[in-house]
Amino acid sequence: MARALIGLMVAGLILVACDSGPEVPDGFTEAEAGPVTFAHPEEWTEGSPTGGAELQIEGPDAGAGVQVFVDDEEGDPAARATALAAELRTTFEDFEVVGQSDTEVDGAQSATLLEYTFTRPEGGTIHSWDVLAEGPDGEQVIFRVEGTEDELDEDAVQEIIDTLSFS
């Protein structure tokens, strides 16, 4: 009986140790930036980070992509999302918050999803989804998925966001 119990405990520990976060969907590839990992469509490639991003992944036509920012600013992700929205409102034309809500991120203490749209200076409407998350050791991350409506749909965005995990 004791051996069976020890065997079950070891098997449980192995399963916990092997839990590497969310599963990578078919047709996606995994990437890592700072304290997080995530998956994106295989045809997307790493680009030159802009705006202080640690990592930038771009779709084939640069009409969609992912940016990961490791943020020094501490605080509750919901309060940080509200402050970010206020900052973006002064930066972009036709900026509009679509929604803000708490969300779950594997390994995060807390996380908030900020969804918004804006018009680029050169024209064209961009739809963005920012996940502001606090990691297990207080790390602050902004994970941004954005694109034009022609290049990115909400199902694809959700599939990408669902793979976000603190490593």
Side-chain angles (χ1 to χ4, degrees), residues 151-167:
E151 295 293 323
L152 193 61
D153 66 38
E154 290 191 37
D155 290 338
V157 170
Q158 193 60 55
E159 199 166 22
I160 293 166
I161 289 173
D162 286 348
T163 67
L164 180 62
S165 174
F166 279 84
S167 22

Side-chain angles (χ1 to χ4, degrees), residues 3 17 19 31 40 49 63 65-67 84 90 102-103 105 121 131 134 143 148 157:
R3 281 189 181 165
D19 181 19
H40 59 82
V66 173
Q67 288 182 304
L84 177 61
T90 64
D102 291 339
T103 191
V105 171
V131 177
E134 181 177 5
F143 180 77
T148 64
V157 170

Side-chain angles (χ1 to χ4, degrees), residues 29 49 100 117 131:
T29 189
Q100 181 177 331
T117 60
V131 177

Side-chain angles (χ1 to χ4, degrees), residues 8-148:
L8 286 173
M9 289 174 51
V10 169
L13 288 173
I14 290 171
L15 285 175
V16 170
C18 292
D19 181 19
S20 60
E23 188 176 315
V24 176
D26 289 340
F28 278 55
T29 189
E30 196 168 42
E32 184 174 354
V36 296
T37 59
F38 63 96
H40 59 82
E42 288 176 345
E43 65 271 11
W44 292 17
T45 58
E46 189 170 337
S48 297
T50 60
E54 183 160 319
L55 178 68
Q56 185 159 322
I57 305 291
E58 299 171 347
D61 298 324
V66 173
Q67 288 182 304
V68 180
F69 302 86
V70 178
D71 196 359
D72 293 334
E73 192 172 324
E74 293 183 16
D76 173 64
R80 291 176 44 241
T82 301
L84 177 61
E87 180 183 329
L88 293 171
R89 185 170 278 111
T90 64
T91 305
F92 294 110
E93 191 175 322
D94 300 325
F95 177 86
E96 182 180 334
V97 172
V98 175
Q100 181 177 331
S101 60
D102 291 339
T103 191
E104 296 289 322
V105 171
D106 190 54
Q109 291 184 45
S110 60
T112 297
L113 175 64
L114 174 65
E115 182 181 354
Y116 57 92
T117 60
F118 64 92
T119 302
R120 287 183 175 166
E122 63 274 9
T125 300
I126 301 296
H127 199 147
S128 291
W129 293 261
D130 288 4
V131 177
L132 291 86
E134 181 177 5
D137 298 320
E139 318 92 301
Q140 302 290 329
V141 170
I142 300 174
F143 180 77
R144 176 172 293 151
V145 182
E146 68 180 10
T148 64

